Amino acid sequence: MTQDDLLTRAQAWLAEDPDPETRDELAALLDGGAGDELAARFAGTLQFGTAGLRGELGAGPMRMNRSVVIRAAAGLAAYLKAKGQEGGLVVIGYDARYKSADFARDTAAVMTGAGLRAALLPRPLPTPVLAYAIRHLGAVAGVEVTASHNPPRDNGYKVYLGDGSQIVPPADAEIAAEIDAIRSLHDVPRPDGGWETLGDEVLNAYLERTDAVLSPGSPRTARTVYTAMHGVGKDVLTAAFARAGFPPPALVAAQAEPDPAFPTVAFPNPEEPGAMDLAFEAARAVDPDLIIANDPDADRCAVAVPDATVEGGWRMLRGDEVGALLAAHLVRKGATGVFAESIVSSSLLGRIAEAAGVGYEETLTGFKWIARVDGLRYGYEEALGYCVDPEGVRDKDGITAALLVTELASVLKEQGRTLNDLLDDLAVEHGLHATDQLSVRVEDLGIIANAMAALRERPPVSLAGLTVVSAEDLTKGTESLPPTDGLRYHLEGAYRARVIVRPSGTEPKLKCYLEVVVPVAAAVDLGPARATAAEVLVAIKRDLSAAAGL
């Protein structure tokens, strides 16, 4: 793009931008001659895919702003009408991030102008409430404005269809084509009203549904510390806990209320270093049985447990550990159906399902795939996502997951046992399944492309002294999986191990998922087995980094 083309494109964008804030921002860039910054913002368009849209807030087509959202909404409306959904209901939810309410209102206006019916949730609420509302209200689609656990300056746009699950191909490409067909925002009708703003009836129905994940008469004695991570989970989670009869959670006060600046955390993600420090501090003061954390839109659930062997006395459970605990709990409650997980999650779920005689299925990464498994009873993903009531919410749900893990902690407490004790039982029964992740955040996306290319051109023959017995390029798909950008290695030797490498779908990260399985004959062998597993995982990280040129 020449300088003249860049200026022409930027001025055309400025002329139709409906938001005074981004208009002023773009005008200042034009007046200041900020060529590099303008080029970055107009180098293309933010691409709509199976994750919808997600990006940094700001002016221009490569940023999240009202112009981009209006185009996305118009493209979605055109897609729905092309599918025969004229007049259908689109329900819209949003979190408490910067611009979320504006993006939600713009979406409602576009849907109304396109001849669809639109209903806005009454205020910022957890993403699972929106996922529930789609099915509860019989909507043809749903939109959630959220960037989940991304940095403060990001926002996003997540699209669900009428089955209550997120879009998958080819819907993403078909919606993207409709977005690309929009020539001007002046062609998109946006009335000032005509949509419905819902009351609390949908939220109340969701809360009534949360009771269904618990067994009647089960113990409700476990005491919790809870952090909402500056997001929208607090009111809904505490209401659900009160309905269930659990002791009121002790709140991490500094993180309890929604705040789009996320002032106490570098990244509002319970998995990030330091994000749980205030929750650990609160737990040391009140001595609960467990810590529960939601991410900002409350679709994820993190759990920490007392552990005298670690500094500070509290240990975050990995998503794979919580996934196995919830599976074991559901099995003992008599759950039937299919247990499902994504390929990056621990193979322990398959062992639990096999021993229990329930179905098991592996999917591509993301709940958009997990939620579509036929006969799904339980699904989880290692990134703290759990679907424990698929008939109510066909997506990950950090509220119902928190209820179920607190019920499990209560059952164990009545037996004089803990979540750690149950993890030990599972390791003795099925082998110690130890997982870890090598995650590389980059400024230059070329680093990710180069690493993937290096691994494809020169696949490793061994990692950590274990032989790579199979190397799969998942872009070609498998018998059970559609194509995706990823690599999978199975290793054998003294131990079995598995490595999956893939670019993140929502962040500028290369993510490598590692698992090693160490046999355990008896509980006394758990300590040495964990030490061995930790050593092997460190060695796999080292060798994989070298192979990828990182």
Side-chain angles (χ1 to χ4, degrees), residues 86-365:
E86 178 88 35
L89 174 67
V90 178
V91 61
I92 303 149
Y94 56 103
D95 67 11
R97 283 178 177 265
Y98 296 118
K99 296 289 182 182
S100 286
D102 294 339
F103 295 167
R105 281 194 296 272
D106 281 333
T107 300
V110 170
M111 296 301 163
T112 303
L116 293 146
R117 293 180 295 123
L120 276 172
L121 293 184
R123 57 186 174 279
L125 287 167
T127 293
V129 178
L130 180 278
Y132 170 81
I134 295 165
R135 290 163 61 81
H136 179 69
L137 297 174
V140 298
V143 171
E144 178 70 17
V145 180
T146 181
S148 189
H149 55 277
N150 274 39
R153 287 300 302 170
D154 286 8
N155 213 327
Y157 199 80
K158 187 183 294 187
V159 176
Y160 298 76
L161 294 182
D163 62 356
S165 55
Q166 297 174 53
I167 56 169
V168 295
D172 58 336
E174 292 173 7
I175 295 169
E178 296 286 4
I179 295 170
D180 290 344
I182 296 159
R183 292 287 163 252
S184 168
L185 291 192
H186 300 307
D187 300 332
V188 181
R190 285 181 290 130
D192 293 329
W195 58 87
E196 179 184 5
T197 298
L198 299 167
D200 279 346
E201 61 278 358
V202 170
L203 173 60
N204 291 337
Y206 167 81
L207 285 169
E208 288 176 14
R209 177 83 199 184
T210 62
D211 296 349
V213 305
L214 304 175
S215 298
S218 63
R220 312 283 166 94
T221 55
R223 294 179 303 108
T224 56
V225 159
Y226 172 72
T227 175
M229 206 67 69
H230 299 295
V232 298
K234 187 254 296 181
D235 289 347
V236 178
L237 182 131
T238 54
F241 270 53
R243 287 181 61 93
F246 288 114
L251 302 179
V252 179
Q255 298 175 333
E257 300 303 326
D259 187 338
F262 303 105
T264 69
V265 291
F267 289 94
N269 178 355
E271 293 180 295
E272 292 284 346
M276 293 290 288
D277 286 355
L278 290 178
F280 294 152
E281 185 180 312
R284 286 190 286 271
V286 302
D287 192 28
D289 298 297
L290 70 164
I291 298 171
I292 299 287
N294 287 139
D295 67 337
D297 69 326
D299 63 349
R300 289 174 169 83
C301 175
V303 180
V305 295
D307 189 335
T309 68
V310 300
E311 184 179 351
W314 283 85
R315 179 175 74 90
M316 274 281 289
L317 296 182
R318 292 189 172 277
D320 285 318
E321 292 178 303
V322 177
L325 288 169
L326 292 177
H329 186 43
L330 288 168
V331 164
R332 292 177 188 186
K333 283 156 67 84
T336 59
V338 178
F339 284 26
E341 63 180 341
S342 65
I343 57 172
V344 299
S345 305
S346 171
S347 59
L348 177 56
L349 183 68
R351 306 288 81 74
I352 293 171
E354 182 181 19
V358 300
Y360 170 75
E361 191 162 328
E362 200 175 49
T363 75
L364 292 184
T365 308

